[in-house]
């Protein structure tokens, strides 16, 4: 979720660049940087931390007025810690070409090896830097900045939006995108680019969309867009009616809606870059060796809130695929209950923020007891990530809404990737099976998109439940954590009493609470216990409960057991929580709105809980 801004025109000064990236601060970042391009030299500035305190007019960089274009960047670290050397822009060996990038280059390791073998010297740990050196190679062979950038784009795999400048062509910025956003702007004598519209509002409302694999060449007051092969393209002009605040939320009413819509990307990005040429999993980033993992005879997963629910899904997956006993615990309980672990235990802490005190203290306790500690975090270099033996990052981008949505989905995916990786290393599943599940994971973003597109159906159901005050969420197998997550979302957003329960346990007590008017939401996506869920639901329906079922598309048997159905596209049972939780997020969101609550600021809650 890095932010990108570029400006070609008479006012190429630090102020304009800093103003541009300040307007992208809401995307979240840990470091920032800029580069001004003048005839025969580039001037670079990179910093860790906030832009807030910087007085652009006091910066020495680029103050002589000779610059003709500039690019600037806010970085949300993925590859490499948030340090000055890893901050963008990145330059080639000569320091005459600079690039900024949002996204992930999947084949960066092989390109880096190739470039180093050819004598290039790379200084950062980022995936981005290889692109600067590839452009350098092209220009050294006589290509223009545009032609060399095109050639570079043909070599890289992954997701990106980029902007490149060169001291040889200081009037020009070359930009391109594949899968991540980039918009272009035009106004008297200037051309602009940004990863998001807020950075352009204030300069111009003549904004254009760049499509995947299109290349834009920006010069003062002019914009030329072509395909990767150089065929001219007329870019689509966007109508901008948003004010700045609406633009920062991507046109959505609130951050929660925006973040729910970012879920397909969060899932896709978390899966990027994980497979080798033969399709096998490679988790180098994790820092735990295959030998470390072969010694493991027990897994503990420890977390709080939505992260805990993601951990519960992983228990089913890991025990099924790896056949290693897997315990899941709430972090605030774990550290006070004499957990039994030793050097053969893998203790996995799951935390969006990587700062939650209960979880970080639990990890400290696990390390003290000799366990190998792995952290699944969304924030690169978070306290927990730094203290752990290994780390696996979810790549959901910053999550601003208090209710976890896209990070929860990304956590399930990351933990299941971990499960498959353990299965691969311990040889507990055939490679063909692992491959098949990974292929199914790769289509999850599309399924999540389909589920999201049905928000209108969820709204219709929510409208019928506005008067309800008591909700039970029931599920079995991996549907159980989905039920817990659905109930948590409803509690924290709509302030409604909601219990998440294993459906089979209802008859051991809670069924006494069922009466006409109680709403029971059942997770009836197909898993090994699906039929039993339908029987459990029949028990509550016969006692007057209103039954809402989350069911696989076309499953008429489930539909017959329900008053209302929330349809989702089917997938592998162990992957189904990634899709099944989506309508429950939407249900909680809509009921919050219907009850007049702001979903971004639920009462009494903080985004990061750093107290016991
Ligand atoms: O940052 P973490 O993942 O460690 O946070 C854990 C919980 O505080 C968090 O998931 C919380 O339950 C959310 N508000 C749920 O939407």
């Amino acid at each position: 979720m890095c932010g990108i801004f570029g400006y070609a025109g008479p006012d190429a000064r630090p102020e304009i660049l800093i103003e541009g990236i300040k307007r992208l601060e809401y995307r979240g970042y840990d470091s920032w940087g800029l580069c001004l391009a003048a005839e025969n030299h580039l001037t670079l500035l990179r910093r860790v931390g906030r832009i807030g305190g910087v007085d652009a007019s006091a910066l020495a960089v680029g103050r002589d007025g000779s610059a003709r274009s500039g690019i600037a960047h806010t970085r949300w670290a993925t590859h490499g810690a948030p340090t000055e050397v890893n901050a963008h822009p990145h330059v080639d060996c000569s320091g005459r070409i600079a690039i900024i990038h949002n996204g992930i280059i999947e084949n960066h390791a092989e390109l880096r090896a190739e470039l180093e073998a050819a004598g290039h010297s790379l200084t950062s740990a980022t995936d981005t830097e290889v692109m600067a050196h590839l452009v350098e190679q092209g220009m050294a062979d006589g290509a223009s900045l545009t032609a060399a950038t095109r050639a570079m784009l043909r070599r890289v795999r992954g997701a990106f939006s980029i902007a490149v400048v060169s001291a040889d062509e200081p009037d020009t910025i070359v930009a391109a995108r594949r899968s991540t956003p980039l918009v272009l702007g035009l106004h008297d004598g200037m051309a602009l680019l940004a990863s998001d519209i807020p950075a352009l509002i204030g300069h111009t409302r003549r904004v254009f969309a760049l499509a995947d694999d299109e290349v834009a060449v920006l010069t003062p007051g002019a914009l030329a867009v072509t395909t990767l092969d150089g065929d001219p393209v007329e870019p689509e002009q966007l109508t901008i009616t948003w004010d700045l605040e609406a633009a920062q939320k991507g046109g959505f009413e609130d951050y929660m809606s925006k973040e729910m819509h970012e879920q397909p990307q969060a899932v896709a990005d978390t899966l990027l870059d994980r497979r080798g040429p033969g399709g096998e999993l490679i988790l180098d980033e994790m820092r735990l060796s295959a030998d470390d993992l072969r010694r493991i005879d027990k897994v503990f997963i420890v977390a709080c809130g939505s992260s805990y629910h993601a951990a519960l899904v992983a228990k089913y997956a890991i025990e099924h695929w790896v056949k290693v006993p897997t315990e899941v615990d709430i972090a605030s309980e774990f550290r006070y209950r004499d957990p039994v672990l030793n050097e053969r235990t893998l203790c996995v802490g799951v935390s969006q923020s990587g700062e939650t005190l209960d979880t970080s203290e639990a990890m400290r306790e696990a390390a003290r007891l000799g366990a190998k500690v792995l952290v699944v975090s969304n924030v690169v270099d978070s306290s927990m990530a730094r203290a752990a033996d290994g780390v696996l990052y979810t790549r959901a981008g910053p999550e601003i809404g208090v209710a976890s949505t896209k990070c929860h989905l990304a956590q399930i995916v990351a933990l299941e990737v971990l499960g498959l990786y353990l299965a691969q290393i311990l040889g507990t599943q055939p490679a063909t099976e692992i491959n098949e599940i990974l292929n199914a994971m790769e289509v999850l973003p599309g399924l999540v998109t389909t589920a999201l597109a049905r928000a209108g159906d969820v709204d219709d159901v929510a409208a019928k439940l506005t008067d309800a005050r008591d909700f039970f969420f029931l599920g079995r197998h991996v549907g159980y954590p989905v039920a817990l997550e659905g109930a948590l979302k409803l509690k924290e957003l709509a302030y409604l009493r909601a219990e998440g329960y294993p459906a089979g346990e209802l008859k051991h007590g809670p069924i006494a609470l069922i009466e006409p008017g109680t709403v029971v939401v059942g997770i009836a996506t197909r898993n090994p216990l699906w039929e039993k869920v339908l029987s459990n639901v029949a028990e509550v329906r016969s006692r007057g409960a209103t039954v809402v079922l989350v069911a696989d598309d076309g499953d008429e048997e489930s539909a017959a057991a329900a008053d209302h159905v929330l349809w989702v596209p089917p997938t592998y049972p162990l992957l189904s929580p990634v899709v099944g939780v989506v309508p429950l997020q939407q249900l909680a969101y809509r009921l919050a709105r219907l009850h007049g609550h702001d979903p971004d600021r639920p009462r009494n809650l903080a985004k990061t809980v750093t107290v016991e």
Side-chain angles (χ1 to χ4, degrees):
M1 292 292 285
C2 305
I4 283 186
F5 180 74
Y7 172 95
D11 260 341
R13 289 174 291 110
E15 285 83 347
I16 221 155
L17 299 180
I18 286 178
E19 177 61 27
I21 49 173
K22 269 190 176 172
R23 294 201 163 201
L24 298 171
E25 278 189 303
Y26 68 93
R27 294 169 67 89
Y29 66 102
D30 43 56
S31 50
W32 61 277
L34 58 86
C35 172
L36 286 152
E39 194 65 54
N40 265 323
H41 79 269
L42 299 183
T43 314
L44 208 64
L45 173 83
R46 299 189 292 190
R47 291 284 182 273
V48 173
R50 311 300 297 170
I51 309 165
V54 174
D55 174 5
S57 62
L59 288 174
V61 63
R63 297 240 59 87
D64 65 359
S66 61
R68 309 238 281 274
S69 67
I71 52 177
H73 187 266
T74 50
R75 176 170 188 251
W76 171 264
T78 57
H79 293 64
T83 58
E84 206 164 293
V85 83
N86 288 334
H88 298 212
H90 287 286
V91 292
D92 68 320
C93 297
S94 68
R96 293 177 68 80
I97 296 160
I99 185 165
I100 52 177
H101 165 222
N102 173 26
I104 293 165
I105 300 303
E106 288 186 69
N107 56 338
H108 67 97
E110 83 196 46
L111 291 170
R112 175 179 285 260
E114 176 192 312
L115 286 159
E116 285 175 344
H120 289 261
S121 157
L122 282 78
T123 54
S124 77
T126 65
D127 52 334
T128 302
E129 193 183 347
V130 294
M131 291 191 277
H133 293 265
L134 288 173
V135 176
E136 177 190 7
Q137 273 186 343
M139 291 186 81
D141 291 341
S144 65
L145 177 63
T146 309
T149 303
R150 276 206 190 97
M152 175 275 284
L153 292 171
R154 283 194 201 93
R155 300 282 327 269
V156 296
R157 283 200 316 269
F160 53 77
S161 33
I162 56 145
V164 200
V165 290
S166 156
D168 292 325
E169 300 178 37
D171 283 315
T172 304
I173 307 176
V174 183
R177 60 156 280 194
R178 186 181 296 159
S179 300
T180 64
L182 195 71
V183 284
L184 310 168
L186 209 51
H187 193 60
D188 290 346
M190 62 170 90
L192 305 114
L193 64 92
S195 43
D196 232 339
I197 289 166
L200 301 185
I201 291 176
H203 293 288
T204 182
R205 291 201 168 236
R206 281 181 73 199
V207 174
F208 302 85
L210 192 68
D212 270 358
D213 282 319
E214 287 179 356
V215 178
V217 178
L218 290 83
T219 48
L223 204 58
V225 178
T226 60
T227 62
L228 205 48
D229 294 327
D231 299 325
V233 172
E234 198 57 52
E236 181 200 351
Q237 182 159 0
L238 305 173
T239 311
I240 307 300
T241 51
W242 303 335
D243 62 13
L244 183 60
E245 201 200 335
Q248 289 186 336
K249 292 175 186 158
F252 290 97
E253 208 176 332
D254 40 61
Y255 284 110
M256 183 175 170
S257 301
K258 175 172 180 276
E259 287 161 5
M260 284 194 288
H261 280 84
E262 286 168 353
Q263 295 186 119
Q265 193 68 50
V267 170
D269 286 351
T270 300
L271 288 169
L272 263 183
D273 204 11
R274 307 291 194 198
R275 292 172 90 174
E280 76 286 7
L281 274 169
I282 301 178
L283 293 189
D284 287 349
E285 148 189 317
M286 210 166 68
R287 303 198 304 247
L288 289 178
S289 70
D291 282 344
D292 285 339
L293 296 174
R294 269 187 213 106
R295 278 191 286 271
I296 299 304
D297 64 7
K298 179 173 184 178
V299 177
F300 253 105
I301 317 181
V302 182
C304 310
S306 294
S307 302
Y308 168 71
H309 300 152
L312 283 174
V313 175
K315 172 184 166 70
Y316 289 90
I318 295 175
E319 289 189 336
H320 182 74
W321 291 328
V322 195
K323 315 287 180 222
V324 171
T326 303
E327 267 196 63
V328 180
D329 208 352
I330 288 177
S332 53
E333 289 297 311
F334 171 88
R335 50 191 285 228
Y336 294 116
R337 71 166 175 88
D338 291 332
V340 180
L341 22 83
N342 56 36
E343 60 291 339
R344 301 195 61 167
T345 310
L346 175 66
C347 189
V348 185
V350 187
S351 173
Q352 173 278 130
S353 58
E355 305 294 340
T356 300
L357 188 86
D358 287 326
T359 315
S360 62
E361 286 303 315
M363 291 303 98
R364 194 195 301 271
E365 178 64 3
R368 192 184 68 76
L369 293 168
K372 281 266 171 245
V373 172
L374 173 71
V375 161
V376 174
S377 164
N378 195 49
V379 180
V380 171
D381 245 21
S382 57
S383 315
M384 283 171 60
R386 280 201 303 272
D389 298 308
V391 61
L392 186 58
Y393 287 117
T394 49
R395 300 188 189 127
E399 193 176 63
I400 293 164
V402 168
S404 187
T405 51
K406 60 177 182 170
C407 284
H408 176 65
L409 261 61
Q411 285 168 342
I412 298 174
V413 166
L415 287 165
E416 294 203 331
V417 165
L418 172 67
L420 289 173
Y421 186 61
L422 290 173
Q424 178 179 293
I425 285 181
L426 301 177
T428 51
Q429 294 295 323
T432 46
E433 175 76 7
I434 295 175
N435 209 38
E436 203 173 301
I437 299 164
L438 284 169
N439 291 344
M441 279 183 150
E442 276 162 12
V443 301
L444 282 173
L447 305 187
V448 174
T449 303
T450 305
L452 284 166
R454 297 175 182 171
D457 301 342
V458 181
D459 290 354
D460 292 345
V461 173
K464 294 183 181 115
L465 305 178
T466 332
D467 295 332
R469 288 291 175 273
D470 287 307
F471 289 74
F472 272 92
F473 286 72
L474 304 179
R476 297 185 76 152
H477 195 262
V478 286
Y480 166 48
V482 176
L484 291 178
E485 179 62 7
L488 176 62
K489 285 285 157 290
L490 196 64
K491 283 186 260 224
E492 69 176 332
L493 295 167
Y495 315 155
L496 290 166
R497 218 162 283 280
E499 295 264 8
Y501 242 83
E505 187 65 9
L506 200 72
K507 57 187 174 297
H508 298 289
I511 200 165
L513 291 170
I514 303 291
E515 57 185 359
T518 310
V519 177
V520 173
V521 181
I523 318 307
T525 46
R526 298 276 171 131
N527 69 38
L529 299 183
W530 156 80
E531 279 178 320
K532 292 185 192 294
V533 173
L534 292 195
S535 307
N536 299 139
V537 162
E539 289 156 16
V540 298
R541 207 172 178 212
S542 64
R543 287 166 175 81
T546 301
V547 171
V548 180
L549 287 184
V550 178
D552 288 339
D553 284 347
D555 178 359
E556 292 307 328
E557 229 174 307
S558 291
D563 297 291
H564 310 290
V565 183
L566 303 172
W567 296 109
V568 290
T571 175
Y572 261 64
L574 284 167
L575 308 184
S576 63
V578 175
V579 188
V581 84
V582 171
L584 302 187
Q585 297 169 340
Q586 292 171 323
L587 183 67
Y589 172 86
R590 185 46 55 201
L591 282 168
R593 282 280 174 213
L594 289 169
H595 286 282
H597 308 312
D598 176 354
D600 282 347
R601 291 181 201 83
R603 69 186 179 202
N604 307 338
L605 287 172
K607 181 68 185 162
T608 305
V609 184
T610 51
V611 290
E612 252 204 271

